[in-house]
Amino acid sequence: MIERRPLLDFFAHLILLIGVVVIAFPVFLAFIASTQSAEQIASSNPLSLMPGNHLLETYRLALFGGKTHGGATIAAGWPMMSISLIMALVIALGKIAISLLSAFAIVYFRFPFMSVVFWMIFITLMLPVEVRIGPTYEVISNLGMLNTYAGLTVPLIASATATFLFRQFFLTVPEELAEAARIDGAGPIRFFFDVLLPLSKTSIAALFVIQFIYGWNQYLWPLMVTTTEDMYPIVLGIKRAIFGEVYVEWNVVMATAILAMLPPALVVILMQKWFVKGLVDTEK
């Protein structure tokens, strides 16, 4: 029997509420700034917390581009968001596919130096993109993949973390299932698709959410491999809007930031149940 302590519950909820306010306040401030004009933001000190009347105009500029009242040219945001979406989907799905196959091979196949291969994959955790960015850039450049979707995504697809997580999950699958599949005449590929994939749904969902956000928020690698602005993802577009103009249109920058938050937030909200269940199942 669980004892209810109203005072303890009150303080627990109070702490959670304070945490929500601290996290949500910057987002609220960005939204408020996106509804005001650049002149209102520049002249108000401190910034007014009341919404302005420039909501539709600002978000139209952030999405479709155009000229502001001050004469500044705003680049359209939706092409950059589409590039970020393609990057996030390719990276997330690519990581999951490669990690599933590599973990399947490590757990269910016997070959020479199997443990060495696994530890070689695991050691790459100590070599993130930031560490090997120079050699990786040289390889992509020599292959002629600069300023392409392949150059943006292929170097980020392999994932030792996802391979390790799927390996640990496959080790928990009862050996009797594999034995039953062999008795029924199912080969390795059929066993993989008919048995392991359905059992891995929650883990796949959890990894998809994490890797989608990882791919969407990429900044350093796209900064290296993109040479023209038409291949910029949305994060680079926000950076260019801040540092590329003498006079920053902060209302448009904030509107672009709010729009950039929506796809990852939508993925988390829609897959929240699967995400939490996947993490719990992985822990088990």
Side-chain angles (χ1 to χ4, degrees):
M1 181 177 179
I2 300 176
E3 183 180 355
R4 301 290 296 179
R5 298 182 179 180
L7 186 61
L8 186 61
D9 289 346
F10 170 77
F11 280 111
H13 285 85
L14 181 63
I15 292 172
L16 289 174
L17 184 60
I18 293 173
V20 169
V21 171
V22 170
I23 293 173
F25 183 73
V27 180
F28 171 76
L29 201 62
F31 174 75
I32 292 297
S34 70
T35 64
Q36 301 178 4
S37 65
E39 292 78 11
Q40 288 175 322
I41 296 174
S43 60
S44 58
N45 188 18
L47 179 68
S48 172
L49 296 181
M50 296 302 295
N53 55 0
H54 296 272
L55 175 67
L56 296 179
E57 177 186 358
T58 304
Y59 280 88
R60 180 187 62 79
L61 283 171
L63 273 175
F64 304 108
K67 284 191 173 294
T68 64
H69 295 298
T73 302
I74 304 298
W78 71 265
M80 293 183 284
M81 292 184 68
S82 65
I83 293 172
S84 291
L85 180 63
I86 293 172
M87 277 187 61
L89 288 175
V90 171
I91 290 172
L93 296 177
K95 279 179 179 286
I96 290 172
I98 292 176
S99 300
L100 277 170
L101 292 174
S102 58
F104 176 61
I106 291 171
V107 173
Y108 289 98
F109 288 84
R110 299 291 178 264
F111 52 90
F113 307 108
M114 181 180 64
S115 60
V116 175
V117 171
F118 168 72
W119 284 109
M120 288 178 63
I121 295 173
F122 191 73
I123 287 172
T124 60
L125 285 172
M126 296 184 288
L127 297 171
V129 175
E130 292 77 12
V131 174
R132 50 185 168 84
I133 196 165
T136 305
Y137 177 82
E138 185 177 0
V139 171
I140 294 299
S141 177
N142 293 336
L143 292 175
M145 295 166 62
L146 293 179
N147 213 46
T148 62
Y149 286 108
L152 284 170
T153 57
V154 170
L156 304 176
I157 283 180
S159 174
T161 305
T163 301
F164 176 74
L165 291 176
F166 281 124
R167 172 187 177 270
Q168 295 305 110
F169 175 74
F170 289 164
L171 289 174
T172 65
V173 175
E175 181 63 28
E176 289 79 4
L177 286 178
E179 190 66 31
R182 282 193 292 268
I183 293 174
D184 289 342
I189 300 300
R190 185 172 181 183
F191 173 70
F192 175 75
F193 281 101
D194 290 353
V195 178
L196 289 183
L197 272 187
L199 292 175
S200 307
K201 286 189 297 184
T202 54
S203 299
I204 291 172
L207 279 170
F208 176 82
V209 174
I210 296 171
Q211 301 302 338
F212 182 91
I213 296 174
Y214 167 81
W216 182 272
N217 290 331
Q218 281 300 307
Y219 170 76
L220 183 59
W221 180 246
L223 183 64
M224 295 285 293
V225 299
T226 54
T227 57
T228 58
E229 294 184 353
D230 61 334
M231 286 298 293
Y232 278 6
I234 191 64
V235 177
L236 276 183
I238 296 173
K239 174 259 179 187
R240 181 188 61 177
I242 296 175
F243 297 104
E245 301 288 342
V246 176
Y247 178 73
V248 180
E249 298 283 345
W250 283 109
N251 56 333
V252 181
V253 172
M254 294 302 173
T256 307
I258 292 293
L259 291 173
M261 296 178 197
L262 293 180
L266 189 62
V267 168
V268 172
I269 292 172
L270 293 178
M271 301 188 68
Q272 181 180 11
K273 179 181 177 181
W274 289 91
F275 176 69
V276 174
K277 195 171 188 299
L279 293 180
V280 172
D281 288 349
T282 301
E283 289 296 325
K284 292 180 180 179

